[in-house]
Amino acid sequence: MMAVSLATLAILPTLSSAQATTDKRIKIGVLTDMSGVTADATGAGSLEAAKIAIEEAGGKALGQPIEIIFADHQHRPDIGASTARTWFDVDSVDVIVDIPNSSVALAVQNIAREKKKIVMFSSPGTTALTQAQCSPYGVQWTYTTYALARGTASAVVDQGKKNWFILASDYAFGQQLAKDTAKVVTAKGGKVLDTVYHPLSTADFSSFILSAQASRADILALANAGGDTINAIKQAAEFGVGQGSQNIAAMLFMLTDVHSLGLDVAQGTYLTTPAYWDFNAGTRAFTKKFQERLHKAPTFLQAGVYGSVRHYLKAVEAAGTDDADAVMAKMRELPIDDAFSQNAHIRDDGLVVRDMLLAQVKKPSESKGPWDYYNILATIPGADLVWPLSESQCPLVKDKNS
């Protein structure tokens, strides 16, 4: 486990003893992917995003320096759970953020619930985090598979692409995204011809792509992430998929994925994104700070880490303590006001409802420079991208309504 301490960036006025934290410090743990298939979209960028949020808070909370540590979970639930337990029990971590990989996230959610500690998920998309396995201490900050499926699949089916072949990664995230995509396609009058699963970090997608071709589906839908999405699209292009009558829909598509593929390969792809670096003055201001450190634009996952840490620290100040129950109450009460979060709030089940953007990857001739990759076609209201609370499986919602 690697750790780094962030020095105090500003001296704030001394606050009253009533506002003292329970252990005299605020400590944030960034549990992320530093070396795997999602490292480019999370990893070092997630860590820097958290640091920027801390800097903007003045480097202190309640008069105490804010510390930050990080670790690589290696996409293993056992490592993620063990790290979380050590952070809570030994290192006095107050909140864990990011956690790409839904299986790891669910394992960490269990530990955080047991320890009554806060965890804010930016990078995992499984709906289980805020459905059946929800926690009074968990916040699903950035997106869900349900939201991405509703945004992208609805738009593509409406264009007349009715027959789908779904290729998904074989773990909790991919399974849920495939299920959510199929549900939307069917509800819109389309048909899922087949759904197949591949292991995480697959090197050879040829057999899956040949099966998709043989199905004669209009759409090869990719329900995977990071390097798996990039490799699948590259290999699909070698077989001519995406260049003729059979198109590709990447259900989770990152800015870094487009950058790796290039606009020649990725152009025309529809996607739903919770955030885009060039959306407004605030997002551009954050991106300037981010680029000075990492020389690239942030993904929406990294932007989510920034927003979640920012909101947590505001809630700590408002609560006057780092007590998890008091901070959670303030996080639900306070408006979410970072530049990447439009019309956002935290529901009773821990899900952040937010407007998202329907985008299309630009043609090379449309791009004005590095990272200028998206045409923003529409804003999708957050209410259209979440399941109603009346259908919630979350015990917190059921208990409140009983």
Side-chain angles (χ1 to χ4, degrees):
M1 188 184 305
M2 300 174 288
V4 61
S5 177
L6 186 66
T8 300
L9 301 171
I11 301 299
L12 299 182
T14 301
L15 300 179
S16 68
S17 59
Q19 289 182 310
T21 59
T22 56
D23 60 359
K24 305 301 183 183
R25 63 180 175 179
I26 297 294
K27 200 165 187 178
I28 298 169
V30 180
L31 186 56
T32 190
D33 172 16
M34 285 291 186
S35 56
V37 294
T38 56
D40 199 27
T42 59
S46 291
L47 179 60
E48 292 303 322
K51 289 182 180 180
I52 292 172
I54 293 170
E55 291 167 9
E56 290 181 355
K60 288 187 175 183
L62 304 179
Q64 302 294 334
I66 302 166
E67 297 180 53
I68 187 168
I69 62 176
F70 68 94
D72 185 345
H73 59 49
Q74 300 176 46
H75 290 275
R76 287 179 52 183
D78 59 332
I79 292 178
S82 176
T83 300
R85 189 177 295 278
T86 300
W87 278 0
F88 291 145
D89 289 347
V90 178
D91 297 317
S92 299
V93 167
D94 295 287
V95 60
I96 297 177
V97 300
D98 198 19
I99 320 182
N101 188 304
S102 292
S103 298
V104 177
L106 289 168
V108 172
Q109 174 106 303
N110 289 334
I111 302 299
R113 185 190 297 107
E114 172 192 336
K115 300 296 181 180
K116 297 184 178 181
K117 292 283 192 173
I118 295 172
V119 58
M120 303 184 74
F121 303 101
S122 176
S123 297
T126 178
T127 58
L129 287 167
T130 42
Q131 282 274 37
Q133 298 188 50
C134 70
S135 165
Y137 304 100
V139 178
Q140 193 161 20
W141 184 265
T142 310
Y143 78 105
T144 64
T145 55
Y146 183 95
L148 298 185
R150 286 184 67 85
T152 305
S154 292
V156 174
V157 173
D158 285 346
Q159 288 190 331
K161 305 292 185 179
K162 302 283 188 180
N163 296 316
W164 287 52
F165 183 102
I166 300 175
L167 174 59
S169 52
D170 194 11
Y171 69 106
F173 164 78
Q175 294 161 6
Q176 188 65 57
L177 184 53
K179 179 180 177 181
D180 291 337
T181 300
K183 185 175 180 179
V184 173
V185 169
T186 303
K188 296 288 288 187
K191 184 178 181 181
V192 177
L193 303 182
D194 199 2
T195 300
V196 297
Y197 295 92
H198 68 81
L200 189 67
S201 302
T202 298
D204 184 4
F205 286 90
S206 59
S207 63
F208 303 116
I209 293 167
L210 289 171
S211 295
Q213 278 188 313
S215 75
R216 299 187 180 276
D218 301 315
I219 293 291
L220 166 58
L222 300 176
N224 49 19
D228 284 335
T229 302
I230 292 169
N231 288 334
I233 292 177
K234 284 181 178 178
Q235 292 178 39
E238 295 173 2
F239 287 91
V241 177
Q243 302 171 11
S245 59
Q246 194 172 51
N247 299 121
I248 295 174
M251 306 311 296
L252 175 60
F253 207 35
M254 296 290 166
L255 194 68
T256 46
D257 297 339
V258 178
H259 187 75
S260 295
L261 287 165
L263 293 180
D264 284 333
V265 176
Q267 63 179 306
T269 302
Y270 285 93
L271 64 141
T272 298
T273 180
Y276 183 49
W277 72 268
D278 198 23
F279 187 66
N280 58 38
T283 61
R284 288 187 286 273
F286 170 83
T287 299
K288 182 179 179 182
K289 297 177 185 178
F290 189 90
Q291 286 184 311
E292 287 172 352
R293 302 163 189 240
L294 295 175
H295 310 293
K296 61 181 181 180
T299 65
F300 71 72
L301 302 179
Q302 293 158 344
V305 172
Y306 162 75
S308 63
V309 172
R310 178 186 172 98
H311 192 64
Y312 171 79
L313 293 175
K314 286 190 173 185
V316 167
E317 288 286 355
T321 177
D322 64 354
D323 174 77
D325 290 299
V327 174
M328 280 298 305
K330 282 298 179 183
M331 283 202 294
R332 296 178 190 277
E333 175 187 325
L334 293 173
I336 298 172
D337 68 350
D338 71 277
F340 291 98
S341 299
Q342 308 299 314
N343 301 315
H345 67 276
I346 303 175
R347 295 201 312 186
D348 291 339
D349 55 3
L351 177 63
V352 172
V353 181
R354 63 173 68 247
D355 293 352
M356 296 190 185
L357 305 172
L358 179 64
Q360 187 176 25
V361 178
K362 290 183 174 182
K363 299 176 182 178
S365 59
E366 296 175 322
S367 178
K368 298 177 182 179
W371 303 101
D372 178 29
Y373 294 157
Y374 293 168
N375 285 316
I376 303 302
L377 305 181
T379 297
I380 309 171
D384 294 345
L385 298 170
V386 297
W387 54 92
L389 285 175
S390 60
E391 298 177 5
S392 177
Q393 301 169 26
C394 174
L396 301 174
V397 176
K398 294 180 178 180
D399 291 344
K400 185 173 182 179
N401 294 334
S402 61

